[in-house]
Amino acid sequence: AQSVTQLGSHVSVSEGALVLLRCNYSSSVPPYLFWYVQYPNQGLQLLLKYTTGATLVKGINGFEAEFKKSETSFHLTKPSAHMSDAAEYFCAVREYTNAGKSTFGDGTTLTVKP
Amino acid sequence: NAGVTQTPKFRVLKTGQSMTLLCAQDMNHEYMYWYRQDPGMGLRLIHYSVGEGTTAKGEVPDGYNVSRLKKQNFLLGLESAAPSQTSVYFCASSYRASGEETQYFGPGTRLLVL
């Protein structure tokens, strides 16, 4: 069975500061991992994904995430926050044996202060 | 190329009423999914379809029915709406379900059941 835990439902940073959103997963097989962003009143947009290969994954808008198997983590980072990064972020896990069904974390709301 | 579209965008129902939510995709995707999103929670899978004419239950299927008569459309039905079905509903699609495939999300349908 697959599951996702996002640590911290709300994260607040100052503009220009480091963004760190935490995600831990559980999976019985090698997982595929995803980060999505959701702006108010919009659908989810893929930020980045890890499937195989390089464990440091770069995504859109300057975000990146590192897959750490030993820690079962897939934390999302961005070196310098921008006001436009304010949104809700979801981590998701998918097992290739599971008909493409994703399990989502509860989400982390990122607030960026000027 | 519109991607994934959902109809309607917003609806208010009274308890016991029925309605159908329409999801359409123009990317020739085989797989389609219906999720619901509730405050403080991630997306939960209601039903999904692995191809035209086939559907399967997800994590929270009770009170919903679905149909996939055409490859590009995936309908979600509520036969007798209940206040517990107040939520935001998202449709998604992907070309395959190999796990690494990107899921594309629609903009959502906000449903309020009084």
mmCIF file of all heavy atoms in Angstrom, chain B residues 17-43:
data_model
loop_
_atom_site.group_PDB
_atom_site.id
_atom_site.type_symbol
_atom_site.label_atom_id
_atom_site.label_comp_id
_atom_site.label_asym_id
_atom_site.label_seq_id
_atom_site.Cartn_x
_atom_site.Cartn_y
_atom_site.Cartn_z
ATOM 1 N N GLN B 17 -31.273 15.618 -4.628
ATOM 2 C CA GLN B 17 -31.250 15.875 -6.061
ATOM 3 C C GLN B 17 -30.131 15.093 -6.721
ATOM 4 O O GLN B 17 -29.188 14.642 -6.069
ATOM 5 C CB GLN B 17 -31.078 17.372 -6.337
ATOM 6 C CG GLN B 17 -32.309 18.202 -6.037
ATOM 7 C CD GLN B 17 -32.127 19.661 -6.419
ATOM 8 O OE1 GLN B 17 -31.077 20.262 -6.194
ATOM 9 N NE2 GLN B 17 -33.171 20.236 -7.006
ATOM 10 N N SER B 18 -30.252 14.969 -8.031
ATOM 11 C CA SER B 18 -29.220 14.254 -8.777
ATOM 12 C C SER B 18 -28.548 15.212 -9.756
ATOM 13 O O SER B 18 -29.110 16.254 -10.116
ATOM 14 C CB SER B 18 -29.835 13.085 -9.536
ATOM 15 O OG SER B 18 -30.756 13.558 -10.503
ATOM 16 N N MET B 19 -27.351 14.851 -10.173
ATOM 17 C CA MET B 19 -26.655 15.632 -11.183
ATOM 18 C C MET B 19 -25.529 14.811 -11.789
ATOM 19 O O MET B 19 -25.115 13.793 -11.215
ATOM 20 C CB MET B 19 -26.109 16.939 -10.620
ATOM 21 C CG MET B 19 -24.822 16.826 -9.846
ATOM 22 S SD MET B 19 -24.002 18.419 -9.607
ATOM 23 C CE MET B 19 -23.542 18.834 -11.290
ATOM 24 N N THR B 20 -25.056 15.279 -12.925
ATOM 25 C CA THR B 20 -23.940 14.641 -13.609
ATOM 26 C C THR B 20 -22.866 15.671 -13.890
ATOM 27 O O THR B 20 -23.154 16.764 -14.400
ATOM 28 C CB THR B 20 -24.390 14.004 -14.936
ATOM 29 O OG1 THR B 20 -25.383 13.012 -14.675
ATOM 30 C CG2 THR B 20 -23.216 13.349 -15.648
ATOM 31 N N LEU B 21 -21.636 15.323 -13.539
ATOM 32 C CA LEU B 21 -20.486 16.153 -13.848
ATOM 33 C C LEU B 21 -19.804 15.564 -15.086
ATOM 34 O O LEU B 21 -19.601 14.356 -15.180
ATOM 35 C CB LEU B 21 -19.480 16.166 -12.691
ATOM 36 C CG LEU B 21 -19.801 17.018 -11.474
ATOM 37 C CD1 LEU B 21 -21.004 16.484 -10.717
ATOM 38 C CD2 LEU B 21 -18.590 17.080 -10.557
ATOM 39 N N LEU B 22 -19.454 16.460 -16.003
ATOM 40 C CA LEU B 22 -18.841 16.005 -17.244
ATOM 41 C C LEU B 22 -17.368 16.378 -17.276
ATOM 42 O O LEU B 22 -16.994 17.509 -16.968
ATOM 43 C CB LEU B 22 -19.550 16.628 -18.450
ATOM 44 C CG LEU B 22 -18.875 16.417 -19.804
ATOM 45 C CD1 LEU B 22 -18.825 14.943 -20.176
ATOM 46 C CD2 LEU B 22 -19.569 17.235 -20.884
ATOM 47 N N CYS B 23 -16.552 15.422 -17.652
ATOM 48 C CA CYS B 23 -15.135 15.653 -17.883
ATOM 49 C C CYS B 23 -14.830 15.289 -19.327
ATOM 50 O O CYS B 23 -15.235 14.215 -19.794
ATOM 51 C CB CYS B 23 -14.295 14.805 -16.941
ATOM 52 S SG CYS B 23 -12.518 14.917 -17.246
ATOM 53 N N ALA B 24 -14.127 16.161 -20.005
ATOM 54 C CA ALA B 24 -13.752 15.902 -21.391
ATOM 55 C C ALA B 24 -12.272 16.189 -21.585
ATOM 56 O O ALA B 24 -11.750 17.161 -21.044
ATOM 57 C CB ALA B 24 -14.580 16.764 -22.335
ATOM 58 N N GLN B 25 -11.611 15.313 -22.361
ATOM 59 C CA GLN B 25 -10.197 15.536 -22.678
ATOM 60 C C GLN B 25 -9.984 15.319 -24.168
ATOM 61 O O GLN B 25 -10.591 14.433 -24.773
ATOM 62 C CB GLN B 25 -9.286 14.634 -21.838
ATOM 63 C CG GLN B 25 -9.618 13.149 -21.866
ATOM 64 C CD GLN B 25 -8.901 12.344 -22.926
ATOM 65 O OE1 GLN B 25 -8.016 12.858 -23.637
ATOM 66 N NE2 GLN B 25 -9.268 11.079 -23.049
ATOM 67 N N ASP B 26 -9.088 16.140 -24.718
ATOM 68 C CA ASP B 26 -8.837 16.078 -26.158
ATOM 69 C C ASP B 26 -7.423 15.620 -26.461
ATOM 70 O O ASP B 26 -6.858 15.961 -27.509
ATOM 71 C CB ASP B 26 -9.138 17.426 -26.808
ATOM 72 C CG ASP B 26 -8.264 18.549 -26.257
ATOM 73 O OD1 ASP B 26 -7.399 18.277 -25.386
ATOM 74 O OD2 ASP B 26 -8.452 19.706 -26.685
ATOM 75 N N MET B 27 -6.824 14.865 -25.544
ATOM 76 C CA MET B 27 -5.442 14.415 -25.698
ATOM 77 C C MET B 27 -5.353 12.933 -26.056
ATOM 78 O O MET B 27 -4.264 12.358 -26.023
ATOM 79 C CB MET B 27 -4.689 14.693 -24.391
ATOM 80 C CG MET B 27 -4.621 16.182 -24.072
ATOM 81 S SD MET B 27 -3.890 16.550 -22.469
ATOM 82 C CE MET B 27 -5.252 16.169 -21.378
ATOM 83 N N ASN B 28 -6.482 12.312 -26.342
ATOM 84 C CA ASN B 28 -6.528 10.899 -26.704
ATOM 85 C C ASN B 28 -5.987 10.005 -25.585
ATOM 86 O O ASN B 28 -5.372 8.964 -25.852
ATOM 87 C CB ASN B 28 -5.764 10.634 -28.012
ATOM 88 C CG ASN B 28 -6.179 9.325 -28.659
ATOM 89 O OD1 ASN B 28 -7.336 8.920 -28.584
ATOM 90 N ND2 ASN B 28 -5.240 8.655 -29.291
ATOM 91 N N HIS B 29 -6.227 10.408 -24.353
ATOM 92 C CA HIS B 29 -5.739 9.640 -23.209
ATOM 93 C C HIS B 29 -6.633 8.442 -22.939
ATOM 94 O O HIS B 29 -7.853 8.508 -23.050
ATOM 95 C CB HIS B 29 -5.690 10.527 -21.964
ATOM 96 C CG HIS B 29 -4.537 11.473 -21.971
ATOM 97 N ND1 HIS B 29 -4.404 12.473 -21.030
ATOM 98 C CD2 HIS B 29 -3.469 11.572 -22.782
ATOM 99 C CE1 HIS B 29 -3.285 13.143 -21.271
ATOM 100 N NE2 HIS B 29 -2.711 12.622 -22.332
ATOM 101 N N GLU B 30 -5.980 7.337 -22.550
ATOM 102 C CA GLU B 30 -6.722 6.126 -22.228
ATOM 103 C C GLU B 30 -7.323 6.187 -20.826
ATOM 104 O O GLU B 30 -8.419 5.710 -20.597
ATOM 105 C CB GLU B 30 -5.796 4.909 -22.314
ATOM 106 C CG GLU B 30 -5.370 4.546 -23.720
ATOM 107 C CD GLU B 30 -6.525 4.016 -24.549
ATOM 108 O OE1 GLU B 30 -7.499 3.477 -23.969
ATOM 109 O OE2 GLU B 30 -6.475 4.147 -25.789
ATOM 110 N N TYR B 31 -6.556 6.718 -19.887
ATOM 111 C CA TYR B 31 -6.942 6.649 -18.495
ATOM 112 C C TYR B 31 -7.563 7.971 -18.040
ATOM 113 O O TYR B 31 -7.051 9.044 -18.353
ATOM 114 C CB TYR B 31 -5.728 6.344 -17.612
ATOM 115 C CG TYR B 31 -5.287 4.909 -17.694
ATOM 116 C CD1 TYR B 31 -4.648 4.420 -18.825
ATOM 117 C CD2 TYR B 31 -5.518 4.037 -16.637
ATOM 118 C CE1 TYR B 31 -4.258 3.091 -18.908
ATOM 119 C CE2 TYR B 31 -5.119 2.714 -16.705
ATOM 120 C CZ TYR B 31 -4.497 2.249 -17.841
ATOM 121 O OH TYR B 31 -4.119 0.944 -17.898
ATOM 122 N N MET B 32 -8.649 7.849 -17.282
ATOM 123 C CA MET B 32 -9.290 9.025 -16.707
ATOM 124 C C MET B 32 -9.681 8.746 -15.266
ATOM 125 O O MET B 32 -9.963 7.598 -14.891
ATOM 126 C CB MET B 32 -10.514 9.437 -17.541
ATOM 127 C CG MET B 32 -10.140 9.842 -18.978
ATOM 128 S SD MET B 32 -11.510 10.503 -19.930
ATOM 129 C CE MET B 32 -11.699 12.141 -19.195
ATOM 130 N N TYR B 33 -9.700 9.807 -14.476
ATOM 131 C CA TYR B 33 -9.883 9.677 -13.025
ATOM 132 C C TYR B 33 -10.820 10.781 -12.517
ATOM 133 O O TYR B 33 -10.806 11.901 -13.027
ATOM 134 C CB TYR B 33 -8.543 9.828 -12.304
ATOM 135 C CG TYR B 33 -7.422 8.957 -12.825
ATOM 136 C CD1 TYR B 33 -6.671 9.345 -13.943
ATOM 137 C CD2 TYR B 33 -7.094 7.759 -12.209
ATOM 138 C CE1 TYR B 33 -5.644 8.553 -14.421
ATOM 139 C CE2 TYR B 33 -6.061 6.965 -12.678
ATOM 140 C CZ TYR B 33 -5.343 7.365 -13.782
ATOM 141 O OH TYR B 33 -4.322 6.576 -14.254
ATOM 142 N N TRP B 34 -11.582 10.443 -11.502
ATOM 143 C CA TRP B 34 -12.337 11.433 -10.752
ATOM 144 C C TRP B 34 -11.843 11.453 -9.305
ATOM 145 O O TRP B 34 -11.809 10.424 -8.642
ATOM 146 C CB TRP B 34 -13.834 11.135 -10.753
ATOM 147 C CG TRP B 34 -14.573 11.666 -11.939
ATOM 148 C CD1 TRP B 34 -15.094 10.961 -12.976
ATOM 149 C CD2 TRP B 34 -14.883 13.042 -12.199
ATOM 150 N NE1 TRP B 34 -15.710 11.801 -13.872
ATOM 151 C CE2 TRP B 34 -15.592 13.084 -13.427
ATOM 152 C CE3 TRP B 34 -14.625 14.234 -11.522
ATOM 153 C CZ2 TRP B 34 -16.047 14.280 -13.979
ATOM 154 C CZ3 TRP B 34 -15.088 15.421 -12.074
ATOM 155 C CH2 TRP B 34 -15.789 15.429 -13.290
ATOM 156 N N TYR B 35 -11.495 12.663 -8.828
ATOM 157 C CA TYR B 35 -11.059 12.866 -7.451
ATOM 158 C C TYR B 35 -12.000 13.866 -6.786
ATOM 159 O O TYR B 35 -12.610 14.706 -7.433
ATOM 160 C CB TYR B 35 -9.650 13.461 -7.403
ATOM 161 C CG TYR B 35 -8.534 12.584 -7.903
ATOM 162 C CD1 TYR B 35 -8.129 12.627 -9.240
ATOM 163 C CD2 TYR B 35 -7.843 11.748 -7.034
ATOM 164 C CE1 TYR B 35 -7.077 11.847 -9.687
ATOM 165 C CE2 TYR B 35 -6.783 10.964 -7.475
ATOM 166 C CZ TYR B 35 -6.415 11.028 -8.803
ATOM 167 O OH TYR B 35 -5.362 10.247 -9.242
ATOM 168 N N ARG B 36 -12.034 13.806 -5.476
ATOM 169 C CA ARG B 36 -12.659 14.869 -4.701
ATOM 170 C C ARG B 36 -11.637 15.466 -3.746
ATOM 171 O O ARG B 36 -10.729 14.760 -3.258
ATOM 172 C CB ARG B 36 -13.894 14.389 -3.933
ATOM 173 C CG ARG B 36 -13.681 13.310 -2.914
ATOM 174 C CD ARG B 36 -14.986 12.984 -2.171
ATOM 175 N NE ARG B 36 -15.351 14.058 -1.235
ATOM 176 C CZ ARG B 36 -16.500 14.099 -0.561
ATOM 177 N NH1 ARG B 36 -17.398 13.143 -0.726
ATOM 178 N NH2 ARG B 36 -16.756 15.095 0.272
ATOM 179 N N GLN B 37 -11.762 16.766 -3.517
ATOM 180 C CA GLN B 37 -10.842 17.462 -2.632
ATOM 181 C C GLN B 37 -11.639 18.169 -1.557
ATOM 182 O O GLN B 37 -12.506 18.994 -1.843
ATOM 183 C CB GLN B 37 -10.002 18.485 -3.402
ATOM 184 C CG GLN B 37 -8.981 19.200 -2.536
ATOM 185 C CD GLN B 37 -8.195 20.241 -3.291
ATOM 186 O OE1 GLN B 37 -8.683 20.868 -4.220
ATOM 187 N NE2 GLN B 37 -6.941 20.430 -2.895
ATOM 188 N N ASP B 38 -11.317 17.873 -0.315
ATOM 189 C CA ASP B 38 -11.974 18.480 0.829
ATOM 190 C C ASP B 38 -10.962 19.294 1.618
ATOM 191 O O ASP B 38 -9.762 18.997 1.583
ATOM 192 C CB ASP B 38 -12.615 17.400 1.697
ATOM 193 C CG ASP B 38 -13.658 16.603 0.907
ATOM 194 O OD1 ASP B 38 -14.657 17.217 0.497
ATOM 195 O OD2 ASP B 38 -13.455 15.401 0.682
ATOM 196 N N PRO B 39 -11.421 20.310 2.344
ATOM 197 C CA PRO B 39 -10.494 21.197 3.071
ATOM 198 C C PRO B 39 -9.533 20.424 3.971
ATOM 199 O O PRO B 39 -9.946 19.536 4.719
ATOM 200 C CB PRO B 39 -11.443 22.077 3.886
ATOM 201 C CG PRO B 39 -12.705 22.103 3.100
ATOM 202 C CD PRO B 39 -12.827 20.741 2.494
ATOM 203 N N GLY B 40 -8.265 20.770 3.885
ATOM 204 C CA GLY B 40 -7.269 20.135 4.726
ATOM 205 C C GLY B 40 -6.905 18.726 4.326
ATOM 206 O O GLY B 40 -6.169 18.042 5.049
ATOM 207 N N MET B 41 -7.410 18.310 3.192
ATOM 208 C CA MET B 41 -7.120 16.952 2.744
ATOM 209 C C MET B 41 -6.617 16.991 1.315
ATOM 210 O O MET B 41 -6.908 17.910 0.552
ATOM 211 C CB MET B 41 -8.365 16.078 2.826
ATOM 212 C CG MET B 41 -8.962 15.979 4.213
ATOM 213 S SD MET B 41 -10.422 14.948 4.250
ATOM 214 C CE MET B 41 -9.710 13.352 3.961
ATOM 215 N N GLY B 42 -5.886 15.986 0.981
ATOM 216 C CA GLY B 42 -5.463 15.851 -0.410
ATOM 217 C C GLY B 42 -6.596 15.318 -1.254
ATOM 218 O O GLY B 42 -7.728 15.178 -0.809
ATOM 219 N N LEU B 43 -6.285 15.029 -2.477
ATOM 220 C CA LEU B 43 -7.293 14.481 -3.371
ATOM 221 C C LEU B 43 -7.499 12.997 -3.070
ATOM 222 O O LEU B 43 -6.541 12.261 -2.828
ATOM 223 C CB LEU B 43 -6.837 14.635 -4.832
ATOM 224 C CG LEU B 43 -7.106 15.997 -5.462
ATOM 225 C CD1 LEU B 43 -6.260 17.076 -4.830
ATOM 226 C CD2 LEU B 43 -6.881 15.933 -6.966
#
